[in-house]
Amino acid sequence: MAESDKVFSGSIPKFYDTLMVPLIFDAYATDMAQLVAVSSPGAVLETAAGSGVVTRALAPQLGADARYVVTDLNQPMLDYAAARQGADNRIEWQQADALALPFDDGSFDVVCCQFGAMFFPNRVTGYAEARRMLKPGGRFVFSVWDRIEENAFADEVTNAVALVFPHDPPRFLARTPHGYHDVALIREDLRRAGFTDIKIDTREKLSRAPSARDVATAYCQGTPLRNEIEARDAGLLQLATDRATQAIASRCGQGPVAGKIQAHVIVAAG
Ligand SMILES: C[S@@+](CC[C@H](N)C(=O)[O-])C[C@H]1O[C@@H](n2cnc3c(N)ncnc32)[C@H](O)[C@@H]1O
């Protein structure tokens, strides 16, 4: 993983929250909130919370006395999440690296993490850290994207942007968000971290947007793909976005667009 892959700052939080979240994260956040809330947990830790899509879905389902600690590596994402959430005295916002969590052992009933594990430089360390946080009988609920070929827009954007930089194609989307999809490896990493009860459910959904341009802008300007494009030539960000728009429009047309998305949803315990 390149260093810039985990940098969500500058213009990224706003584009991420307004364009990426409705496109591909909202639907899975609804599922994750249900999976967490089903056991009526008294204390929940969320890692890699980003701009707060899971927090917004889960907070209304937790009890009045619940403790909900919401963390992310990048303070600008957390600031965005906290501003959207509004006052809620059950929620504690704290910047934290999921690989070095600043909380006592056995503090939480559930640790949840939506689409964050792909960014962990060492998954076994990140999973062991989640397990350390859990009370006996606690659960670690998390999700990762399936391979890029199962996620239509990410694949189309990656291929279109590659044509703008043929000698050094930006591969962020394939390398990181879609680079950790092997369920055998995920199981093995969880076992090495100490989990014994592991369930993995592969879920397909349909991603929709008002236009191809919304999708292209979301991926090219609302994710660290932007960092990769700007590192090559900041003046080509708009051209890259235009080429991605054309690629999606050539399949979906000029109006509303839709594409398959697919992810693995994992519950680990023991
Ligand atoms: C694709 S976003 C997912 C955000 C959110 N969970 C969602 O579903 O929209 C990945 C998030 O992981 C965060 N992140 C990256 N590395 C991290 C780490 N080591 N510890 C905690 N968060 C991390 C990033 O700041 C970013 O907000």
Side-chain angles (χ1 to χ4, degrees):
M1 185 175 69
E3 262 312 294
S4 69
D5 286 8
K6 61 184 181 192
V7 179
F8 287 69
S9 61
S11 307
I12 291 176
K14 179 174 136 258
F15 283 111
Y16 180 90
D17 194 62
T18 55
L19 295 175
M20 283 305 287
V21 164
L23 189 63
I24 58 172
F25 293 100
D26 253 337
Y28 286 99
T30 304
D31 291 4
M32 173 145 299
Q34 283 169 357
L35 269 174
V36 173
V38 71
S39 57
S40 303
V44 176
L45 171 65
E46 183 175 354
T47 57
S51 62
V53 62
V54 171
T55 317
R56 291 190 286 280
L58 176 56
Q61 300 189 47
L62 296 178
D65 297 331
R67 176 185 184 216
Y68 188 5
V69 180
V70 181
T71 65
D72 193 276
L73 181 68
N74 285 286
Q75 186 69 47
M77 292 294 263
L78 217 47
D79 289 343
Y80 205 97
R84 276 204 65 180
Q85 190 74 31
D88 186 333
N89 57 16
R90 300 169 304 166
I91 300 179
E92 299 164 33
W93 305 97
Q94 186 166 340
Q95 187 278 335
D97 185 340
L99 279 72
L101 292 165
F103 308 107
D104 293 338
D105 296 9
S107 301
F108 299 94
D109 300 292
V110 179
V111 175
C112 66
C113 179
Q114 172 163 285
F115 300 122
M118 308 87 74
F119 294 84
F120 297 174
N122 183 323
R123 276 88 189 212
V124 177
T125 303
Y127 298 163
E129 195 62 350
R131 189 166 176 269
R132 183 177 73 78
M133 294 292 104
L134 292 173
K135 297 177 186 178
R139 295 177 302 139
F140 177 36
V141 182
F142 71 103
S143 54
V144 297
W145 292 114
D146 203 345
R147 66 186 73 245
I148 197 164
E149 293 80 5
E150 305 289 354
N151 288 269
F153 292 140
D155 201 27
E156 287 163 346
V157 169
T158 297
N159 293 335
V161 172
L163 297 176
V164 180
F165 302 97
H167 302 298
D168 187 15
R171 296 285 299 164
F172 163 74
L173 293 171
R175 178 179 61 241
T176 298
H178 296 283
Y180 182 62
H181 49 72
D182 178 344
V183 292
L185 176 61
I186 296 167
R187 279 185 194 282
E188 175 61 19
D189 286 348
L190 284 163
R191 284 202 193 95
R192 287 176 62 202
F195 288 102
T196 52
D197 178 5
I198 301 160
K199 296 184 180 63
I200 302 182
D201 180 19
T202 300
R203 295 188 186 180
E204 176 184 340
K205 294 183 187 285
L206 194 64
S207 171
R208 296 176 187 279
S211 72
R213 181 157 300 280
D214 284 285
V215 176
T217 307
Y219 279 98
C220 294
Q221 303 192 26
T223 74
L225 175 57
R226 180 187 190 122
N227 304 334
E228 239 190 336
I229 293 170
E230 289 183 334
R232 283 158 177 73
D233 185 342
L236 293 181
L237 180 63
Q238 196 52 53
L239 178 68
T241 309
D242 292 345
R243 292 287 164 80
T245 302
Q246 288 157 8
I248 295 163
S250 72
R251 176 175 63 84
C252 300
Q254 295 300 325
V257 296
K260 176 189 170 187
I261 50 176
Q262 190 159 292
H264 303 307
V265 179
I266 301 127
V267 181

